[in-house]
Amino acid sequence: MSIGLVVAICLVAANLRTSLTGVGTLLPAIEHGSGLTASWGGLLSTLPLLTFAATSPLVARASHRFGSARLLVAALAALTVGTVVRSLPSVICLFAGTVILSAAIAFGNVLLPALIRRSVPPHRIQGVSALYITVMGVTAAVSSGISAPLSHTLPGSWHTALAWGLAFSVAAFFVWLPRVRGDRPQTGGGVTRSPVPWRSRLAWQVSMFMGLQSLAFYTAVAWLPSILIHHGTSSTTAGWMLFYYQLMSLASGSLLPLFTRGRRDQRRTAAGGSIMVAAGFVVLLSAPALSVVACTLLGLGGGVCLVLALTFQSQRAGSAGEVAALAGMAQSIGYLVAASGPLLLGILHDATNSWTLPLVVLVVLCVAMAGAGYGAGRDRQVRYSAP
């Protein structure tokens, strides 16, 4: 395994959240500059998740037909185009560019782990996977922190700040372009297909836990800066608070395997992480001046829930085919559940002109996440039956 391959993988990882997490920081300026209501702002934050849900199932078939590396290069090109379109001074371009770049990211989300499994020696896969997840988290946090300052410094205000991630997409495109040579479509499959476990209670618990933790994360990324600004925080400080929240999430997610190694029953851990997220929203609701405390709780609990949500998809199934079936169900449902969060909060904020009801709803959903996590954390496997 070459250093060049590791760099290429990390460059792709740097593109998987960067263009999304900066939007929350810029959302108040986007709404003010374009005349969008909070509901439309929620839709803008929801579009990537809806696009993920619609696009992700297409990736495996397209990769089988065209080849993973070729498809990844095409996705990076589309990401570059979508980023440019989104930054143009037009509301139509804002939404159209968001759809284009989100579809490209959906392809990258699915293709990168597959390319790692194919290109990295088995004993290095875990280390490389941990590295790319870390890079993805760090660049996402940096994007949240610097987007507002860039909008105040660069000509073009938030339009230009939305496009700063071009540096990563262009670099990744040119690094992966030579790797297209020799890439061949896959002509066979050695994995037995398993039916999607729609009738399994455990599978639904895994899916709902995945969806609700994603809802909490993407809702925080979309609206946390707006909530803090509403309570008197400057846009720059709000952006750095979102940065801090994501660093806490990254730290807790990285440390969790050290504390849960060898433990397959994770009911208390999943429920505890969920309650910690709920507590963060309670602090944000009752004492918004303690935003550091709120972001610490949200980040620590959110990082734990993210790692567990991804782990359950492999631990709660047996064969590779069963894992694929459960993961497909969990992610398709998860993206749809998560997509409702930013949009719902925007609608509730428009209807009440306050963040109180939206935050109360988030607390209730986090309690529901604790219940789903407690069920999904049982040391059991999903039972599959033929359709």
Side-chain angles (χ1 to χ4, degrees), residues 130-145:
L131 177 62
Y132 103 74
I133 291 173
T134 300
V135 170
M136 183 175 67
V138 169
T139 52
V142 169
S143 179
S144 299

Side-chain angles (χ1 to χ4, degrees), residues 18-377:
T18 301
S19 60
L20 302 178
T21 55
V23 175
T25 305
L26 298 171
L27 197 54
I30 293 173
E31 291 174 352
H32 181 266
S34 60
L36 295 178
T37 64
S39 298
W40 281 100
L43 178 60
L44 182 64
S45 301
T46 299
L47 265 182
L49 302 174
L50 294 175
T51 306
F52 289 169
T55 306
S56 296
L58 308 176
V59 180
R61 180 176 297 180
S63 175
H64 187 85
R65 182 174 180 180
F66 299 107
S68 297
R70 293 180 182 179
L71 199 58
L72 181 60
V73 168
L76 290 168
L79 176 59
T80 301
V81 171
T83 303
V84 171
V85 171
R86 185 180 64 169
S87 66
L88 297 176
S90 163
V91 172
I92 294 176
C93 289
L94 176 66
F95 282 87
T98 297
V99 171
I100 294 170
L101 67 86
S102 299
I105 291 173
F107 273 77
N109 280 332
V110 177
L111 290 171
L112 188 56
L115 285 165
I116 290 174
R117 287 196 297 269
R118 191 182 75 178
S119 308
V120 175
H123 65 285
R124 297 284 182 89
I125 288 178
Q126 184 175 7
V128 173
S129 297
L131 177 62
Y132 103 74
I133 291 173
T134 300
V135 170
M136 183 175 67
V138 169
T139 52
V142 169
S143 179
S144 299
I146 71 172
S147 291
L150 286 177
S151 70
H152 298 148
T153 305
L154 298 176
S157 184
W158 58 267
H159 294 284
T160 308
L162 282 175
W164 82 270
L166 281 173
F168 289 133
S169 62
V170 172
F173 174 83
F174 283 109
V175 167
W176 276 94
L177 191 59
R179 297 180 180 274
V180 171
R181 191 177 305 160
D183 185 43
R184 294 289 181 270
Q186 302 168 14
T187 56
V191 179
T192 303
R193 280 190 171 184
S194 297
V196 178
W198 297 112
R199 298 182 179 180
S200 168
R201 181 181 179 184
L202 178 56
W204 276 101
Q205 289 170 332
V206 171
S207 300
M208 291 307 298
F209 185 67
M210 173 69 185
L212 289 171
Q213 69 82 26
S214 295
L215 182 150
F217 171 78
Y218 284 105
T219 300
V221 167
W223 291 117
L224 180 60
S226 297
I227 294 171
L228 296 178
I229 291 170
H230 177 77
H231 290 289
T233 304
S234 70
S235 60
T236 298
T237 302
W240 286 115
M241 290 306 302
L242 187 58
F243 169 84
Y244 172 73
Y245 153 68
Q246 290 178 84
L247 280 188
M248 288 295 99
S249 178
L250 186 62
S252 66
S254 300
L255 292 175
L256 181 65
L258 300 178
F259 295 100
T260 60
R261 184 174 298 169
R263 187 189 308 166
R264 293 187 63 85
D265 190 316
Q266 295 168 330
R267 289 176 290 181
R268 293 181 180 178
T269 308
S274 303
I275 295 301
M276 193 175 294
V277 177
F281 286 125
V282 169
V283 172
L284 203 58
L285 172 65
S286 59
L290 301 177
S291 57
V292 173
V293 176
C295 290
T296 300
L297 291 170
L298 289 171
L300 293 177
V304 168
C305 292
L306 171 61
V307 172
L308 290 179
L310 297 175
T311 302
F312 290 160
Q313 294 173 36
S314 58
Q315 282 186 339
R316 301 302 175 246
S319 67
E322 291 175 352
V323 170
L326 178 58
M329 175 180 172
Q331 293 190 30
S332 62
I333 291 174
Y335 284 135
L336 289 174
V337 171
S340 66
L343 180 59
L344 175 62
L345 256 69
I347 293 173
L348 291 176
H349 178 260
D350 272 350
T352 63
N353 198 29
S354 167
W355 288 108
T356 300
L357 181 58
L359 287 171
V360 169
V361 170
L362 282 176
V363 172
V364 172
L365 290 175
C366 287
V367 173
M369 177 169 68
Y374 191 85

